[in-house]
Amino acid sequence: CRIAYMLEQGIRPWEILAITFTNKAAAEMRERVHQLVGPEADRIWMYTFHSFGARFLRQEIEALPPYTGKFTIYDSEDSRSVIKNLLKEMNLDDKQYQPQAVQSRISNAKNALLSPEAFARAAAGNFHSEKIAEVYALYDKRMKQNNALDFDDLLLLTTRLLERQDIREKWQKHFHYILIDEYQDTNTVQFELIHLLASKYRNLCVVGDDDQSIYKFRGANIRNILDFEKVFPEAKVVKLEQ
């Protein structure tokens, strides 16, 4: 309804970015908006965080060589296979360094905006973590050689590119209005991505319930919604009681 109202006020559809977390929720959002406004809905950017990152990177990733716009997106199994091969190459015991656990540590690092170098600095003094840092560095190198991204890269690299002033200003001019659903489930990299995009016009509308955060295992930070007024002091917060 908010999107329909915005279009009635003359806001151009391509200036609106609406993001949620799951493919199902994004499809439902797209269908509901289409019912309200018709074909104009097709010109609005309505995506999950990761699908937004994928579309963004198809246009901008060549600013991060050696990647090219024809990159491949690896699913979890593809990524784990790369990690398994690296563990073998490094002669690391896969019982002590279980591939899924190593993959999780690397994923958490990316969601916390930690590069391999930053992760290695944080791991210093802990032998097990230092070895995982070595795996992370080699994994990053191998992915670049393969021109491949994992799901976490879709957000991490988007955020890294938006930290560049020229690219950030280009996309800030594109999106004047940003809407985020399930904001209580945002993690560090998602928060930073949105903060960079919204920092020019500061037309940001989020919806969330701090009692329904379900992605803590993926680094969701409940403070993102609880501290919303501190980050955006001009915000109008409406609290609905059940």
Side-chain angles (χ1 to χ4, degrees):
C1 289
R2 178 177 174 83
I3 290 174
Y5 175 79
M6 290 163 68
L7 295 176
E8 285 180 359
Q9 301 306 303
I11 295 169
R12 295 175 295 187
W14 56 87
E15 294 177 339
I16 301 171
L17 171 64
I19 293 182
T20 188
F21 277 82
T22 67
N23 290 326
K24 180 181 178 182
E28 289 178 356
M29 177 170 62
R30 201 172 291 115
E31 181 181 349
R32 291 178 184 178
V33 173
H34 204 282
Q35 289 174 353
L36 288 170
V37 305
E40 286 286 85
D42 297 332
R43 305 171 77 186
I44 300 167
W45 284 54
M46 289 183 282
Y47 293 106
T48 64
F49 272 102
H50 291 90
S51 56
F52 167 75
R55 181 171 177 182
F56 173 91
L57 290 170
R58 291 293 180 195
Q59 299 183 49
E60 300 290 352
I61 199 169
E62 292 185 7
L64 290 175
Y67 293 113
T68 75
K70 295 183 179 180
F71 61 80
T72 300
I73 300 175
Y74 282 7
D75 63 20
S76 295
E77 288 190 15
D78 295 328
S79 300
R80 196 173 306 131
S81 178
V82 174
I83 290 171
K84 286 179 180 178
N85 290 334
L86 291 173
L87 292 172
K88 289 180 181 178
E89 292 174 19
M90 296 173 66
N91 293 317
L92 292 175
D93 183 355
D94 62 6
K95 292 186 176 63
Q96 191 173 4
Y97 297 90
Q98 296 180 0
Q100 187 169 352
V102 174
Q103 182 181 30
S104 180
R105 289 286 299 276
I106 293 173
S107 176
N108 289 341
K110 291 184 178 185
N111 283 317
L113 289 172
L114 292 177
S115 66
E117 296 77 16
F119 185 87
R121 288 193 295 271
N126 183 307
F127 182 80
H128 189 269
S129 293
E130 287 176 347
K131 286 299 177 183
I132 292 177
E134 291 179 27
V135 178
Y136 183 9
L138 289 173
Y139 175 77
D140 184 63
K141 182 178 180 180
R142 187 66 51 85
M143 295 292 279
K144 287 175 179 175
Q145 290 172 342
N146 295 344
N147 195 30
L149 309 182
D150 61 26
F151 288 143
D152 299 310
D153 288 326
L154 297 176
L155 303 184
L156 176 63
L157 298 185
T158 295
T159 303
R160 292 297 185 220
L161 284 165
L162 288 171
E163 290 171 346
R164 293 180 43 163
Q165 184 176 352
D166 56 336
I167 295 175
R168 180 172 66 254
E169 289 180 351
K170 171 185 172 181
W171 287 89
Q172 285 175 339
K173 290 177 182 177
H174 192 300
F175 299 120
H176 292 210
Y177 301 88
I178 300 173
L179 301 91
I180 312 292
D181 194 18
E182 305 293 356
Y183 191 73
Q184 77 279 354
D185 289 324
T186 52
N187 59 25
T188 299
V189 68
Q190 290 162 340
F191 169 82
E192 187 62 22
L193 189 161
I194 292 303
H195 189 258
L196 288 166
L197 273 179
S199 59
K200 179 177 176 65
Y201 293 107
R202 301 178 76 80
N203 292 321
L204 176 63
C205 175
V206 308
V207 178
D209 182 347
D210 56 329
D211 285 334
Q212 294 188 27
S213 182
I214 61 173
Y215 288 124
K216 188 175 181 180
F217 69 97
R218 286 201 324 218
N221 185 355
I222 196 69
R223 301 309 313 179
N224 289 348
I225 192 167
L226 296 179
D227 295 340
F228 190 78
E229 291 171 276
K230 294 180 182 178
V231 179
F232 297 95
E234 72 275 32
K236 178 181 179 181
V237 176
V238 179
K239 296 182 180 180
L240 302 179
E241 301 293 339
Q242 290 186 341

Tab-separated table of all heavy atoms in Angstrom, residues 106-115 156 160 187-189 218-219:
chain	number	residue	atom	x	y	z
A	106	ILE	N	33.726	-19.006	7.800
A	106	ILE	CA	34.003	-18.074	6.704
A	106	ILE	C	32.765	-17.234	6.399
A	106	ILE	O	32.844	-16.023	6.186
A	106	ILE	CB	34.468	-18.847	5.454
A	106	ILE	CG1	35.836	-19.486	5.715
A	106	ILE	CG2	34.519	-17.931	4.231
A	106	ILE	CD1	36.307	-20.413	4.612
A	107	SER	N	31.605	-17.883	6.400
A	107	SER	CA	30.347	-17.169	6.160
A	107	SER	C	30.117	-16.097	7.219
A	107	SER	O	29.766	-14.949	6.898
A	107	SER	CB	29.178	-18.159	6.152
A	107	SER	OG	27.943	-17.490	6.023
A	108	ASN	N	30.327	-16.461	8.486
A	108	ASN	CA	30.140	-15.488	9.569
A	108	ASN	C	31.104	-14.321	9.432
A	108	ASN	O	30.745	-13.169	9.719
A	108	ASN	CB	30.329	-16.173	10.921
A	108	ASN	CG	29.200	-17.119	11.263
A	108	ASN	OD1	28.113	-17.038	10.692
A	108	ASN	ND2	29.451	-18.049	12.174
A	109	ALA	N	32.326	-14.611	8.997
A	109	ALA	CA	33.303	-13.544	8.802
A	109	ALA	C	32.836	-12.575	7.722
A	109	ALA	O	32.912	-11.345	7.885
A	109	ALA	CB	34.657	-14.137	8.424
A	110	LYS	N	32.334	-13.110	6.631
A	110	LYS	CA	31.873	-12.247	5.540
A	110	LYS	C	30.666	-11.416	5.972
A	110	LYS	O	30.566	-10.222	5.631
A	110	LYS	CB	31.524	-13.084	4.308
A	110	LYS	CG	32.749	-13.707	3.641
A	110	LYS	CD	32.370	-14.457	2.369
A	110	LYS	CE	33.607	-15.020	1.686
A	110	LYS	NZ	33.301	-15.650	0.386
A	111	ASN	N	29.767	-12.029	6.726
A	111	ASN	CA	28.591	-11.295	7.184
A	111	ASN	C	28.942	-10.226	8.208
A	111	ASN	O	28.154	-9.312	8.458
A	111	ASN	CB	27.552	-12.260	7.758
A	111	ASN	CG	26.804	-12.994	6.666
A	111	ASN	OD1	26.407	-12.409	5.664
A	111	ASN	ND2	26.631	-14.302	6.826
A	112	ALA	N	30.124	-10.360	8.819
A	112	ALA	CA	30.617	-9.336	9.746
A	112	ALA	C	31.565	-8.368	9.044
A	112	ALA	O	32.235	-7.564	9.701
A	112	ALA	CB	31.325	-9.992	10.926
A	113	LEU	N	31.640	-8.450	7.702
A	113	LEU	CA	32.476	-7.568	6.879
A	113	LEU	C	33.966	-7.773	7.121
A	113	LEU	O	34.757	-6.836	6.994
A	113	LEU	CB	32.105	-6.095	7.101
A	113	LEU	CG	30.773	-5.623	6.538
A	113	LEU	CD1	30.445	-4.215	7.005
A	113	LEU	CD2	30.814	-5.657	5.004
A	114	LEU	N	34.360	-8.989	7.474
A	114	LEU	CA	35.770	-9.287	7.720
A	114	LEU	C	36.405	-9.884	6.468
A	114	LEU	O	35.985	-10.937	6.001
A	114	LEU	CB	35.928	-10.263	8.884
A	114	LEU	CG	35.552	-9.757	10.281
A	114	LEU	CD1	35.689	-10.882	11.303
A	114	LEU	CD2	36.418	-8.567	10.674
A	115	SER	N	37.419	-9.237	5.950
A	115	SER	CA	38.205	-9.776	4.848
A	115	SER	C	39.084	-10.903	5.376
A	115	SER	O	39.233	-11.070	6.598
A	115	SER	CB	39.086	-8.673	4.259
A	115	SER	OG	40.048	-8.271	5.238
A	156	LEU	N	28.632	-9.016	0.545
A	156	LEU	CA	29.916	-8.432	0.925
A	156	LEU	C	30.491	-7.566	-0.190
A	156	LEU	O	30.898	-6.415	0.042
A	156	LEU	CB	30.904	-9.545	1.283
A	156	LEU	CG	32.332	-9.097	1.620
A	156	LEU	CD1	32.343	-8.228	2.864
A	156	LEU	CD2	33.250	-10.296	1.794
A	160	ARG	N	31.200	-3.566	-0.406
A	160	ARG	CA	32.539	-3.034	-0.699
A	160	ARG	C	32.496	-2.031	-1.853
A	160	ARG	O	33.163	-0.986	-1.828
A	160	ARG	CB	33.498	-4.176	-1.036
A	160	ARG	CG	33.827	-5.099	0.114
A	160	ARG	CD	34.554	-4.372	1.223
A	160	ARG	NE	34.973	-5.262	2.288
A	160	ARG	CZ	34.906	-4.965	3.572
A	160	ARG	NH1	34.420	-3.788	3.948
A	160	ARG	NH2	35.309	-5.801	4.495
A	187	ASN	N	21.734	-8.404	9.349
A	187	ASN	CA	23.022	-8.574	10.014
A	187	ASN	C	23.923	-7.387	9.687
A	187	ASN	O	23.472	-6.392	9.096
A	187	ASN	CB	23.669	-9.912	9.622
A	187	ASN	CG	23.894	-10.034	8.120
A	187	ASN	OD1	24.023	-9.039	7.413
A	187	ASN	ND2	23.953	-11.260	7.630
A	188	THR	N	25.186	-7.491	10.032
A	188	THR	CA	26.100	-6.353	9.877
A	188	THR	C	26.244	-5.917	8.427
A	188	THR	O	26.137	-4.729	8.110
A	188	THR	CB	27.486	-6.710	10.450
A	188	THR	OG1	27.352	-6.993	11.842
A	188	THR	CG2	28.466	-5.556	10.266
A	189	VAL	N	26.482	-6.864	7.511
A	189	VAL	CA	26.706	-6.490	6.125
A	189	VAL	C	25.424	-5.938	5.491
A	189	VAL	O	25.467	-4.983	4.702
A	189	VAL	CB	27.271	-7.682	5.312
A	189	VAL	CG1	26.253	-8.798	5.142
A	189	VAL	CG2	27.789	-7.218	3.962
A	218	ARG	N	22.799	-16.573	11.508
A	218	ARG	CA	23.454	-15.960	10.351
A	218	ARG	C	23.966	-14.565	10.668
A	218	ARG	O	24.278	-13.795	9.772
A	218	ARG	CB	22.475	-15.890	9.170
A	218	ARG	CG	22.229	-17.227	8.533
A	218	ARG	CD	21.709	-17.154	7.112
A	218	ARG	NE	20.797	-16.058	6.858
A	218	ARG	CZ	19.714	-16.153	6.072
A	218	ARG	NH1	19.411	-17.302	5.530
A	218	ARG	NH2	18.953	-15.114	5.853
A	219	GLY	N	24.043	-14.256	11.968
A	219	GLY	CA	24.607	-12.978	12.374
A	219	GLY	C	23.610	-11.853	12.508
A	219	GLY	O	24.004	-10.681	12.630
